[in-house]
Amino acid sequence: MRRDAPRTLDDIKHPGPKASQRRPWLPCHAEPVALTLTNGGSLLQELGQWIDASGYQSAVLDLSGLALNAFDYVMPDCAFDDRHAAWYSDTRVSEGATLVEAVAVLGRRDGQWFAHIHAYWQENGNAHLAHLLPESVSLAGNSDLNGFGLNGAGFEAEYDPETEFTLFRVKPSQSTDTPAPPTNALITTLAPFEDLHDSICGLASKIEANTFKVVGLGSLAGAEFRSSPPMKGLISEILLRSGSGRQLHDGQQVQIRGVDLNGNLHQGALQPGKCPTLVTCELLLISAD
């Protein structure tokens, strides 16, 4: 039996000691990339072959428009045990769909390439947002993708004592004889309860840019929006939408799509100080100057 859903932030308890670094980050070079994936291939295999050939340490990719065969996915849900603050639903199956919006963070897990994917799609007249199980995802047609290849730092999965989940962490690149390209970006993985909007604002100063883009995904313990109803469910999965970041004269905007543990879908610009991280958020901030 699953635990009761949390009603307040005080109800959310992570089992382990708090990490000393709440917004760990590393500078990196983010290079815009474009790639074509072929019909019928395994998404994870295709991405692994591409990144091996390209030589990047990690990548953050926009999977919007990707046409998929049947795939498995999970939704945010309450935990079964008394240790984890949240868990996933039972595995569900899509008959196949074209992703409307989707983000993939590509990094290493147990020495192999692994993709953390959050996606929004329409199927049989219904809208869905979920965490896709990457091993189940295969391509229904040729697809052109874009995003950013990373050097200088990347994402690597390891056990997180605070949450007792295996999560992507930021890791520096191993030294090589190849000169490192100039840094124009940073990657970060936020700790529980770090405010997503405020963290982005604070970290943006590290890249010394007047304007920047931010891409990524994660989970929030509820959220309030500038001009749409709040996400009251305190267990959720989110993805950052195109346009998030700071433009000249426009201020900072963090646009998300999210789904809570009740299956309610939300979207909008986040209110500062009103969007605490639940487990983690994996982010790439890139200078747009």
Side-chain angles (χ1 to χ4, degrees):
M1 180 179 295
R2 293 185 186 268
R3 291 164 54 187
D4 292 338
R7 296 186 178 184
T8 69
L9 290 180
D10 289 339
D11 294 334
I12 299 173
K13 308 292 185 184
H14 290 284
K18 291 182 65 173
S20 58
Q21 296 187 54
R22 310 308 290 169
R23 301 173 183 174
W25 66 277
L26 285 172
C28 64
H29 180 80
E31 182 175 354
V33 297
L35 58 151
T36 298
L37 304 182
T38 57
N39 180 23
S42 158
L43 176 64
L44 197 55
Q45 183 176 357
E46 292 259 348
L47 292 179
Q49 292 173 347
W50 165 78
I51 199 168
D52 279 337
S54 301
Y56 297 117
Q57 186 173 349
S58 282
V60 181
L61 301 172
D62 181 357
L63 304 187
S64 303
L66 197 67
L68 302 180
N69 296 314
F71 59 88
D72 297 339
Y73 65 95
V74 291
M75 307 284 289
D77 210 336
C78 297
F80 288 103
D81 59 27
D82 60 358
R83 302 291 296 172
H84 295 90
W87 201 250
Y88 300 108
S89 70
D90 294 339
T91 300
R92 306 181 185 187
V93 179
S94 165
E95 297 175 356
T98 297
L99 304 182
V100 178
E101 293 181 79
V103 176
V105 178
L106 186 62
R108 290 281 188 178
R109 180 170 180 167
D110 298 327
Q112 305 297 318
W113 290 115
F114 182 80
H116 187 185
I117 305 169
H118 288 182
Y120 170 78
W121 73 97
Q122 302 275 344
E123 186 174 351
N124 297 325
N126 297 311
H128 301 268
L129 195 154
H131 170 109
L132 273 55
L133 302 184
E135 296 87 352
S136 73
V137 178
S138 64
L139 305 169
N142 293 348
S143 296
D144 295 324
L145 306 181
N146 58 65
F148 296 91
L150 308 182
N151 279 316
F155 294 97
E156 185 175 335
E158 64 179 28
Y159 177 76
D160 174 50
E162 180 173 354
T163 64
E164 295 190 355
F165 282 102
T166 297
L167 304 172
F168 272 150
R169 308 283 83 175
V170 294
K171 298 291 182 180
S173 62
Q174 297 180 352
S175 59
T176 66
D177 295 332
T178 304
T183 59
N184 65 344
L186 67 81
I187 55 173
T188 184
T189 53
L190 303 183
F193 304 114
E194 291 298 295
D195 189 84
L196 176 56
H197 186 285
D198 293 352
S199 295
I200 292 170
C201 185
L203 288 166
S205 64
K206 309 295 185 183
I207 56 175
E208 300 179 351
N210 293 317
T211 60
F212 66 90
K213 296 174 61 175
V214 58
V215 292
L217 49 75
S219 60
L220 296 180
E224 293 186 17
F225 300 93
R226 292 184 177 181
S227 58
S228 53
M231 182 165 64
K232 296 182 178 180
L234 300 186
I235 297 175
S236 75
E237 302 272 5
I238 66 139
L239 61 83
L240 272 65
R241 305 189 70 191
S242 176
S244 292
R246 184 170 65 223
Q247 306 297 323
L248 286 176
H249 313 302
D250 290 338
Q252 179 173 302
Q253 293 274 345
V254 182
Q255 296 274 352
I256 71 161
R257 282 192 186 273
V259 61
D260 66 22
L261 75 170
N262 300 310
N264 299 316
L265 295 172
H266 299 267
Q267 63 175 313
L270 293 172
Q271 282 277 23
K274 299 295 183 180
C275 41
T277 297
L278 174 63
V279 176
T280 192
C281 291
E282 301 158 8
L283 306 173
L284 168 65
L285 280 71
I286 316 109
S287 171
D289 287 356

